């Protein structure tokens, strides 16, 4: 375990603030809460000799809220993540967790077989069988696979040379979800950036390793994120900024990989971190420099917008709100709910599905009946959509409409 | 006045006294032990927690090394419940004498102390926080002891053989008939009443107070110098192995992982009175500097508590008068008062160290048997002691594992040390007249990072609920507990512990207004 993370437990004054904000502890007695599993339990863990005695730790969803709210700087969620990795390393990672961590393999497979896959995830009997055999809950949100990947589009685009050239260049880190499932979001992001007159570079990119990390496969996660960092770092060294539509994947590159995976000294990650931006964060930056196109058409909608936990962990506030203010006639509601429950892959798991749904319940109640909902993080969008039936989009999609790029 | 008759009376409820009473009880004597406060309230409850491999002594006192090597194995056989087999390292840091390592290795062989030199890199791999600049590393069989668990195991074992263990019994005078000691008068501090104990034989095992007791018996000049040592408990386990500096014994040269904390220690200065051990700023700084040598970054980690204990250093008339008591004999001292003072039926056993307490007990009870003309063999080395209700809890993860099992059925009173309501109730019912410090010594109540800030009022409420004490008395218990905790906090208030202390202060005085609650100061 990283010593700086473990040592942060020394700052805990037991004020219980994290306990009051943990969305999981609020809905289930199975989870003893962040103060307990974090700074308290960690004092009792000598896993190398004695093993991990507290399986209840696994109910932490990794949403990161505790770290964010702790006034003393205890890295609670990070302590949990590392302790869980140790536990998984000792007790073995279930097949299911390995399966859902391999986003690249899973993504490729589902795209290759997309008609069949998309049909399959909608068939109750198959989902029931998957719950029984693999442990993925039958009602857990599953994204539809694209027919062709975003990368195929990029490849074609490069062939046709129909792209903006400019001295203002940025790199787009799209991540796995946009490549295999939400290719439309990826294309629209490129369109919104090009609308600003920016040249968008889209290099090859690996998985950031987060799904493996949160499922306790730290070595695999390390290998993956280092490959990704090696792919992107040359651009950062050249002085280019990197933008991302995936809040959790960009957080990995900003800091989580270095902190949780103990890659503090990795030169590629170090070069990348200061150049890594969430897409809305980046656009707000442009706006502040007077470089953002503000010619927009009205979007007469009332949209509940849920800033996901992972976005909050960026410590950049909620930049999307600034962008929404620029869109005429758009009304945005803040449900003011900590977490939608899914927390990456947590809510997919059969034994955690109900907890995840309970966590998200206050959010779903406010989204219900809307025409459209909005959230920055992909798995959260799927969760909100699956729980409420309301189409849920990334903030970029609203900008895309406002710019009349449809 | 209540009167009690017994064959063997033992004065002092530290390791030595409990070893003696158990030894005598196992040999079939009718026994009584008197302790002025609670078991382990003297030096035994304030020591470093190290079950010595013997390595520390091999270059100065081969005999002591030998005794430790044998006794540590005996204890780990008869009372595994109280010991964590952490193992230990002796490491040569950049500031240590590089030649000492060879002398050390030779000494171990001569004394029969098990030792194994390993690659420094291996030691660092096992203990990643260890100073990366160590040049030699030796593995030894050090362990960590929970002193209280060991004391109560001895007490239970002795009680199974008929011993009566009387705590809060303060010996105020010693009874004599001509040239023989015939018993003592003690004050029961729980009831305020005097008790007379008539004994066929009296053994003085009162550690650093042994001189005082001997004087009471009329044996003058038995000088026991209190050798003060301070220790600081750090918030969590910086290491899981005992780390010793491979250098001639000095200040702050050992870091011991005990239960949830790591304890750095210790110093050695001559004190005047074992009941008044002041902890100075300078001593604290020295400990922190010493910690930094073993574990770089030590000063940035959180200190929880500091305390001091008094080594009972027996000083006979011939010993030199130098103030550094480390150079005096730490060996055990058996004082045969018949030979020395013409005083029969009275023996004093003092000095020594915790690790060899069983042997000390054997020596003194042998001497008693000889005086009495009894031929009763010692069986303490082969008789296992009964385990505690919390069997195995000395392992660091044990309480967390236990808590995992009762997560949904039991409330927790002390969050830091995971003391459940069930454990508390059991202990309160067993000793309804006890105070919070008595509970602390059995359960570790209030010994974690918040130092009682979050649990002491809950504990007080529980005591009030389970016993018939008045509200005023409950306030007094709480007040006294905080007062004692504070003694060990004040000298180390820096960094994270300051924030805790301030928050605790807000809770205690801002919210509870403890200072102005009516307190009933009884007895
Ligand atoms: C700082 C320090 C660190 C140490 N570290 C270690 C270590 O790591 N390993 C090790 O093996 N040893 C260690 N030692 C040594 C060891 O702690 C002691 O040698 C041992 O605990 C002494 O036990 P004892 O029973 O003789 O004395 P004590 O534990 O002091 O017991 C004597 C008892 O007599 C009682 N008493 C006194 N007067 C009266 C009276 N009038 N009536 C009734 N009762 C009375 C006292 O209250 C006390 O409880 C350390 C010592 C010190 C000071
Ligand atoms: S919020 Fe921070 S300081 Fe407060 S209890 Fe939680 S971890 Fe400890
Ligand atoms: S990461 Fe989220 S679920 Fe886990 S303890 Fe913290 S707040 Fe609770």
């Amino acid at each position: 375990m990283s010593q700086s993370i473990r040592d942060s437990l020394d700052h805990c004054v037991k004020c219980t603030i994290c306990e009051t904000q943990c969305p999981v502890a609020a809905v289930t007695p199975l989870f003893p809460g962040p103060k307990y599993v974090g700074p308290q339990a960690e004092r009792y863990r000598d896993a190398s000799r004695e093993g991990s005695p507290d399986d209840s730790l696994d109910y932490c969803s990794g949403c990161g809220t505790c770290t964010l709210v702790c006034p003393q700087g205890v890295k609670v969620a990070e302590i949990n993540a590392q302790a869980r990795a140790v536990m998984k390393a000792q007790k073995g990672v279930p097949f299911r967790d390995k399966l859902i961590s391999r986003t690249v393999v899973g993504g490729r497979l589902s795209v290759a077989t997309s008609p069949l896959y998309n049909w399959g995830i909608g068939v109750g009997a198959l989902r029931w069988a998957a719950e029984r055999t693999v442990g993925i809950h039958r009602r857990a949100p599953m994204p539809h696979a694209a027919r062709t990947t975003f990368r195929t589009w990029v490849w074609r685009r490069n062939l046709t040379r129909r792209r903006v050239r400019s001295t203002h260049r940025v790199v787009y880190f799209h991540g796995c979800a946009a490549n295999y499932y939400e290719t439309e979001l990826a294309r629209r992001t490129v369109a919104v950036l090009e609308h600003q007159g920016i040249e968008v570079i889209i290099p090859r990119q690996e998985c950031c390793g987060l799904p493996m990390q949160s499922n306790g496969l730290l070595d695999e996660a390390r290998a993956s994120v280092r490959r990704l960092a090696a792919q992107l770092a040359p651009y950062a060294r050249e002085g280019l900024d990197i933008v991302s539509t995936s809040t959790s994947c960009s957080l990995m590159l900003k800091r989580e990989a270095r902190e949780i995976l103990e890659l503090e000294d990795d030169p590629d990650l170090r070069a990348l971190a200061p150049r890594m931006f969430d897409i809305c964060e980046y656009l707000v930056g442009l706006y502040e420099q007077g470089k953002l196109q503000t010619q927009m058409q009205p979007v007469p909608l009332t949209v509940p917008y849920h800033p996901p936990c992972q976005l909050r962990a960026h410590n950049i506030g909620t930049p999307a709100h600034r962008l929404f203010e620029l869109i005429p006639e758009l009304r945005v509601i803040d449900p003011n709910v900590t977490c939608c429950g899914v927390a990456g892959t947590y809510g997919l798991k059969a034994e955690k599905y109900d907890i995840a749904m309970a966590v998200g319940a206050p959010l779903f109640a406010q989204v219900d009946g809307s025409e459209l909902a909005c959230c920055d993080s992909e798995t959260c969008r799927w969760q909100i959509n699956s729980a409420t039936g309301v189409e849920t989009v990334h903030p970029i999609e609203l900008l895309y409409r406002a710019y009349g790029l449809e | 006045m209540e009167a009690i008759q017994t064959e063997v009376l033992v004065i002092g409820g530290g390791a030595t006294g409990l070893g003696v009473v158990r030894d005598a009880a196992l040999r079939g004597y009718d026994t009584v032990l008197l302790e002025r406060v609670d078991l382990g309230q003297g030096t035994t409850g304030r020591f470093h927690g190290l079950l010595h491999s013997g390595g520390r002594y091999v270059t100065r006192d081969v005999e002591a090394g030998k005794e430790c090597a044998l006794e540590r194995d005996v204890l780990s056989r008869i009372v595994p419940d109280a010991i964590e087999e952490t193992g230990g390292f002796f490491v040569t840091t950049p500031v240590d004498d590089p030649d000492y390592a060879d002398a050390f290795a030779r000494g171990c062989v001569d004394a029969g102390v098990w030792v194994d030199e390993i690659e420094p890199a291996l030691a660092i791999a096992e203990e990643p926080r260890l100073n990366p600049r160590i040049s030699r590393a030796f593995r030894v069989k050090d362990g960590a002891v929970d002193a209280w668990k060991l004391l109560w195991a001895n007490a239970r074992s002795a009680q199974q053989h008929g011993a009566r263990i009387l705590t809060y019994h303060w010996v105020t005078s010693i009874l004599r008939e001509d040239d023989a000691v015939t018993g003592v008068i003690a004050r029961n501090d729980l009831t305020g009443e005097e008790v007379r104990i008539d004994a066929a034989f009296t053994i003085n095992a009162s550690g650093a107070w042994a001189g005082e007791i001997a004087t009471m018996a009329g044996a003058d000049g038995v000088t026991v110098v209190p050798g003060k040592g301070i220790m600081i408990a750090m918030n969590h386990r910086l290491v899981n192995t005992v780390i010793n500096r491979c250098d001639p014994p000095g200040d702050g040269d050992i870091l011991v992982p005990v239960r949830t904390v790591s304890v750095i220690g210790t110093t050695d200065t001559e004190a005047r009175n074992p009941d008044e051990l002041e902890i100075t700023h300078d001593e604290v700084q020295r400990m922190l500097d010493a910690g930094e040598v073993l574990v770089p970054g030590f000063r940035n980690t959180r200190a929880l508590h500091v305390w001091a204990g008094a080594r009972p250093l027996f000083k006979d008339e011939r010993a030199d008068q130098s103030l550094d008591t480390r150079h005096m004999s730490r060996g055990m001292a058996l004082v045969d008062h018949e030979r020395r003072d013409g005083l029969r039926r009275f023996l004093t056993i003092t000095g020594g160290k915790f690790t060899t307490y069983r042997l000390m007990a054997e020596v003194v009870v042998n001497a008693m048997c000889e005086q009495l003309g009894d031929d009763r063999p010692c069986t303490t080395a082969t008789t296992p002691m009964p385990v505690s209700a919390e069997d195995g809890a000395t392992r660091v993860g044990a309480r967390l594992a236990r808590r995992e099992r009762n997560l949904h059925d039991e409330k927790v009173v002390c969050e830091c040390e995971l003391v459940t309501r069930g454990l508390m109730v059991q202990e309160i019912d067993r000793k309804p007249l006890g105070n919070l410090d008595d509970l602390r010594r059995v359960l570790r109540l209030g010994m974690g990072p918040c130092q009682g800030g979050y649990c002491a009022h809950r504990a007080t409420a529980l005591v009030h609920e389970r016993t018939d004490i008045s509200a005023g008395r409950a306030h007094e218990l709480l007040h006294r507990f905080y007062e004692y905790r504070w003694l060990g906090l004040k000298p180390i208030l820096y960094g994270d512990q300051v924030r805790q202390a301030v928050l605790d202060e807000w809770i205690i005085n801002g919210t509870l207004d403890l200072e102005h609650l009516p307190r009933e100061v009884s007895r």
Side-chain angles (χ1 to χ4, degrees):
Chain A
M1 171 168 300
S2 141
Q3 257 137 36
S4 68
I5 287 179
R6 182 179 162 114
D7 281 359
S8 76
L9 74 86
D10 275 352
H11 309 323
C12 177
V13 294
K14 314 194 85 70
C15 68
T16 311
I17 288 174
C18 55
E19 302 267 314
T20 65
Q21 299 300 311
C22 169
V24 174
V27 298
T28 174
L30 294 173
F31 182 53
K35 173 167 86 165
Y36 179 89
V37 299
Q40 276 175 196
E42 186 54 34
R43 295 176 69 235
Y44 292 84
R45 296 195 188 111
D46 173 13
S48 60
R49 296 188 207 210
E50 298 184 357
S52 307
D54 54 334
D55 291 349
S56 58
L57 159 70
D58 197 38
Y59 281 103
C60 162
S61 78
C63 72
T65 306
C66 44
T67 300
L68 194 65
V69 299
C70 172
Q72 305 295 336
V74 182
K75 300 209 173 288
V76 194
E78 290 81 353
I79 291 175
N80 296 353
Q82 291 196 336
R84 186 173 34 224
V86 173
M87 178 173 101
K88 293 263 168 105
Q90 277 171 351
K91 302 197 173 166
V93 177
F95 170 70
R96 185 261 327 268
D97 295 4
K98 287 186 185 157
L99 186 75
I100 56 184
S101 327
R102 309 292 166 156
T103 44
V104 173
V105 180
R108 278 197 195 136
L109 262 177
S110 47
V111 169
T113 63
S114 64
L116 189 65
Y117 166 87
N118 290 342
W119 170 77
I121 58 172
V123 175
L126 288 179
R127 293 297 304 271
W128 181 83
E131 177 172 328
R132 282 313 183 82
T133 52
V134 192
I136 296 176
H137 196 277
R138 61 189 182 284
R139 284 196 297 276
M142 283 297 191
H144 281 250
R147 263 168 219 281
T148 53
T149 63
F150 175 61
R151 296 233 50 97
T152 310
W153 181 84
V154 172
W155 180 71
R156 286 199 198 117
R157 169 182 178 261
N158 287 347
L159 283 185
T160 57
R161 302 179 184 198
R162 269 183 43 211
R163 55 187 179 120
V164 173
R165 301 279 185 176
S166 158
T167 51
H168 184 169
R169 296 187 297 157
V170 300
V171 174
Y172 178 33
F173 164 43
H174 50 73
C176 302
N179 188 31
Y180 300 111
Y181 307 101
E182 297 189 322
T183 53
E184 196 174 61
L185 166 64
R187 289 197 302 272
R188 290 179 171 180
T189 304
V190 174
V192 167
L193 284 168
E194 288 188 336
H195 185 65
Q196 319 299 327
I198 296 173
E199 177 175 342
V200 185
I201 299 165
I202 314 169
R204 291 192 64 82
Q205 38 196 271
E206 281 285 324
C207 172
C208 68
L210 173 63
M212 301 168 219
Q213 171 191 295
S214 63
N215 282 294
L217 298 159
L218 295 200
D219 287 337
E220 289 85 338
R222 246 172 235 128
S224 196
V225 75
R226 293 183 97 146
R227 282 197 297 271
L228 170 65
Q231 287 162 334
L232 299 183
Y235 298 98
R237 292 203 179 94
E238 225 183 280
L240 297 195
D241 291 331
I242 299 152
V243 299
S244 168
T245 40
S246 173
T247 46
S248 51
C249 306
S250 52
L251 188 59
M252 274 297 274
L253 293 185
K254 276 186 174 176
R255 65 180 166 87
E256 282 203 334
R258 284 180 300 142
E259 286 179 357
I260 299 182
L261 296 177
E262 297 179 67
L263 294 173
E264 195 51 65
D265 298 326
D266 185 279
D268 289 339
L269 284 166
R270 277 173 170 249
L272 270 179
R275 294 254 164 222
M276 187 71 235
F277 292 92
D278 168 70
I279 182 77
C280 294
E281 178 189 16
Y282 190 74
L283 293 177
V284 167
L286 288 185
Y287 175 67
E288 283 170 350
Q289 297 165 36
K291 290 185 189 158
L292 188 79
Q293 291 291 342
T294 49
Q295 274 279 356
M296 298 193 198
Q297 62 190 42
V299 179
L301 283 175
T302 299
V303 179
Y305 166 62
H306 170 64
C309 321
Q310 293 120 339
L311 177 72
R312 293 178 216 195
H314 281 245
N315 293 326
I316 54 173
T318 52
H321 274 130
R322 294 281 303 278
L323 300 174
F324 295 151
E325 284 166 13
L326 305 175
I327 303 178
E329 294 179 36
L330 177 69
R331 225 188 118 228
V332 174
I333 304 171
D334 184 355
N336 199 13
V337 171
T338 310
C339 180
C340 73
V342 78
T345 55
Y346 181 85
L348 311 184
K349 301 173 183 176
E351 74 280 10
K352 287 160 189 144
Y353 175 82
D354 289 335
I355 298 174
M357 289 303 282
V359 168
L363 174 62
F364 308 148
Q366 294 183 69
V367 169
D368 261 333
S370 308
E371 197 177 320
L372 191 72
C374 185
C375 178
D376 306 71
S377 171
E378 53 277 66
T379 49
C380 311
R381 287 195 290 276
W382 304 336
Q383 165 90 341
I384 297 169
N385 172 250
S386 126
T388 62
V390 175
E391 186 192 351
T392 308
V393 297
H394 190 281
I396 280 293
E397 304 261 4
L398 291 170
L399 275 185
Y400 183 79
R401 286 187 199 193
Y403 283 135
L405 297 172
E406 273 172 301
Chain B
M1 193 191 304
E2 189 193 347
I4 295 174
Q5 266 81 38
T6 188
E7 287 173 347
V8 180
L9 171 65
V10 183
I11 304 172
T16 313
L18 279 146
V20 173
V21 77
R22 171 171 184 259
D23 191 312
L26 256 60
R27 295 194 208 208
Y29 290 107
D30 183 32
T31 53
V32 168
L33 179 140
L34 302 180
E35 162 56 48
R36 62 179 189 167
V37 197
D38 191 18
L39 300 188
Q41 225 276 326
T43 308
T44 304
R46 299 164 195 275
F47 84 136
H48 202 164
L50 172 60
L51 186 67
H52 279 286
S53 63
R56 182 46 64 216
Y57 304 105
V58 292
T59 54
R60 291 273 173 94
D61 185 351
V62 177
E63 207 49 44
K66 268 185 202 160
E67 286 168 6
C68 285
L70 293 172
E71 283 300 307
R72 59 99 44 232
D73 282 348
V74 170
L75 294 181
S76 105
R77 265 199 317 274
I78 62 175
V79 61
D81 186 26
I83 293 163
E84 185 186 2
E85 297 286 0
T86 55
F89 292 143
F90 275 77
V91 294
T92 306
T93 73
V95 297
D96 295 330
D97 171 8
D99 297 333
Y100 184 79
D102 289 325
F104 166 77
R106 266 195 315 274
C108 286
V109 173
D110 292 346
V113 170
W114 184 91
V115 68
D116 181 23
E117 177 154 23
I118 58 173
E119 282 300 319
L122 179 62
I124 293 163
E126 281 182 37
E127 289 301 347
R129 285 181 188 262
L130 205 52
N131 189 332
R133 287 162 56 224
I134 57 171
S135 54
R136 307 274 298 263
F138 299 87
R139 201 190 287 285
V140 294
K141 289 206 299 184
D142 281 335
V145 198
D146 184 316
W148 296 294
K149 264 184 163 301
L150 184 125
L151 291 179
W152 280 294
N154 273 275
R156 281 191 300 274
S157 174
Q159 282 163 333
Q160 283 180 351
H161 291 84
R164 281 167 287 175
I165 309 244
L166 307 177
T167 55
Y168 290 96
H169 279 66
W170 193 301
V171 174
T172 51
S173 61
I174 297 208
L175 305 172
R176 274 180 66 167
E177 268 170 31
D178 306 324
D179 60 350
V181 169
T182 58
V184 305
I185 304 283
R187 185 180 69 234
N188 178 340
D189 273 336
L190 294 179
T191 61
E193 275 154 28
E194 297 232 298
V195 191
R196 175 197 171 100
I197 294 109
D198 296 307
F201 208 100
T202 301
I203 294 178
N204 170 17
S206 54
W209 295 265
E212 203 179 297
I213 297 286
T215 307
M216 266 186 216
D220 291 322
V222 174
T223 313
V224 182
V225 177
K228 181 186 76 171
I230 78 153
M231 287 138 290
I232 306 177
M234 311 306 286
N235 185 25
H236 59 104
R237 288 219 184 188
L238 301 169
V239 291
N240 289 307
T241 310
V242 174
I243 312 290
N244 304 264
R245 272 177 48 193
C246 198
D247 205 35
D251 278 357
D253 51 4
I254 312 180
L255 183 61
V256 187
V258 193
R259 304 286 293 249
T260 47
V261 298
S262 325
V263 183
I264 183 82
T266 173
T267 55
D268 198 346
T269 46
E270 192 169 304
R272 236 162 236 115
N273 180 346
D275 286 316
E276 283 167 24
L277 303 175
E278 202 206 340
I279 297 168
T280 67
H281 175 75
D282 176 58
E283 285 166 328
V284 168
Q285 295 310 311
R286 257 190 290 151
M287 283 307 97
L288 297 178
D289 287 341
E292 203 64 46
V293 172
L294 290 172
V295 169
F298 192 87
R299 273 181 173 277
N300 300 331
T301 64
R302 176 170 174 178
L304 293 189
H305 200 89
V306 58
W307 67 95
R311 290 177 192 80
L313 297 173
F314 181 71
K315 203 172 181 183
D316 65 35
E317 270 75 81
R318 279 153 295 155
D320 72 5
Q321 299 294 311
S322 96
L323 279 180
D324 184 359
T325 52
R326 195 175 293 111
H327 299 291
M328 291 167 45
S329 161
R330 284 193 200 207
M332 52 186 82
L334 169 69
V335 187
D336 179 343
H337 292 286
E338 188 169 21
R339 222 171 287 160
R340 183 181 185 274
D341 313 291
L343 193 57
R344 291 186 305 117
R345 292 155 62 179
F346 186 58
L347 289 170
T348 290
I349 180 84
T350 185
K353 55 188 81 36
F354 179 92
T355 307
T356 54
Y357 85 92
R358 193 211 58 85
L359 184 64
M360 292 167 69
E362 180 174 342
V363 166
V364 71
V365 180
N366 280 348
M368 176 186 81
C369 286
E370 208 179 294
Q371 275 199 26
L372 295 174
D374 272 351
D375 181 19
R376 305 192 195 184
C378 171
T379 56
T380 52
T382 49
T383 313
M385 294 188 222
V387 298
S388 70
E390 244 200 307
D391 184 16
T394 312
R395 283 188 308 109
V396 66
R399 278 211 172 157
L400 187 61
R402 183 192 162 97
R403 181 68 192 134
E404 184 73 12
R405 291 192 296 274
N406 64 30
L407 205 53
H408 306 297
D409 321 312
E410 259 203 72
K411 285 205 167 103
V412 153
V413 175
C414 166
E415 298 171 42
C416 305
E417 292 296 317
L418 297 179
V419 183
T420 59
R421 188 188 151 97
L423 284 174
M424 288 284 293
V425 165
Q426 191 182 321
E427 221 21 65
I428 295 167
D429 291 355
R430 217 164 59 82
K431 275 199 225 154
L433 294 178
N435 58 44
L436 297 188
D437 262 308
D438 296 339
L439 289 167
R440 173 180 69 79
R441 280 184 283 267
V442 186
L443 300 173
R444 295 183 67 79
L445 176 81
M447 287 175 75
C450 82
Q451 290 289 300
Y454 282 70
C455 64
H457 50 277
R458 295 176 189 156
T460 309
L462 255 184
V463 175
H464 186 254
E465 178 190 313
R466 305 291 302 183
T467 65
D468 56 6
I469 61 168
S470 66
R473 170 83 185 137
H475 298 156
E476 168 62 14
L477 287 181
L478 184 57
H479 193 264
R480 228 195 317 157
F481 186 69
Y482 281 134
E483 241 174 26
Y484 288 153
R485 291 282 84 192
W486 184 242
L487 289 179
L489 273 168
K490 218 167 32 177
I492 48 117
L493 280 187
Y494 66 91
D496 286 315
Q497 203 60 337
V498 181
R499 307 196 213 185
Q500 185 75 60
V502 172
L503 182 59
D504 289 356
E505 168 70 17
W506 268 99
I507 296 172
I508 299 158
N509 285 324
T511 307
L512 289 180
D513 197 16
L514 183 62
E515 218 159 322
H516 300 106
L517 289 179
R519 293 204 305 273
E520 186 183 307
V521 187
S522 66
R523 293 159 199 150

